[in-house]
Amino acid sequence: MPVVGMDALIRRIGSIKRAVREEIFEEAAKEWVEQDFKPMAKQLVPVRTGELRDSIDGTANPQQVRVFADAPHARVTEEGSVDRNISAQPYMKPAFEKTRRKLSKRTRDALRRRLK
């Protein structure tokens, strides 16, 4: 004989697990942006005036991390431009590649801290 309300309880537990997982990811992602990604990107970016370096930033929410540089020449520097004869000088993608494993580690560590 099924227990009354068991399905609702199982759904509620699932939603609590998702909420905790999302909160942990958001916390770890914000740390990663500030402590890992941004310093690496700022180290790799070519600097003339510092405008591009200073425009590197990022945000995180429970579902995703967004990193960006919003200086006017950010994309041209990263990707280059054939019509303007400008070679690519990537800094965002290499910074991501060099630090992405740290995001996973920060997420695992945050989960471990939460479970203690």
Side-chain angles (χ1 to χ4, degrees):
M1 173 180 246
V3 177
V4 175
M6 184 59 80
D7 290 339
L9 177 61
I10 290 170
R11 284 192 305 275
R12 181 70 181 134
I13 290 171
S15 67
I16 291 169
K17 284 171 51 178
R18 279 189 302 281
V20 169
R21 188 170 48 240
E22 289 174 352
E23 182 180 321
I24 289 170
F25 173 77
E26 183 176 12
E27 172 189 320
K30 286 179 178 179
E31 287 178 4
W32 174 80
V33 167
E34 292 300 320
Q35 298 174 20
D36 299 318
F37 177 80
K38 282 173 51 175
M40 179 60 68
K42 289 181 179 198
Q43 179 183 336
L44 297 174
V45 69
V47 177
R48 279 196 197 156
T49 66
E51 178 187 18
L52 177 55
R53 180 195 58 225
D54 295 344
S55 78
I56 295 170
D57 207 350
T59 62
N61 65 43
Q63 286 80 38
Q64 68 180 359
V65 179
R66 183 173 171 258
V67 293
F68 55 89
D70 58 9
H73 55 294
R75 187 174 192 157
V76 171
T77 303
E78 176 78 14
E79 299 174 359
S81 175
V82 176
D83 58 321
R84 293 170 57 191
N85 198 25
I86 299 173
S87 297
Q89 298 178 41
Y91 56 97
M92 297 291 275
K93 186 175 180 182
F96 175 78
E97 290 299 324
K98 289 180 183 215
T99 63
R100 68 187 173 104
R101 287 192 176 98
K102 290 183 180 183
L103 176 56
S104 296
K105 183 179 182 328
R106 284 186 182 281
T107 304
R108 283 191 309 274
D109 290 349
L111 180 58
R112 284 187 189 111
R113 283 192 305 272
R114 191 63 67 92
L115 292 175
K116 285 185 178 180

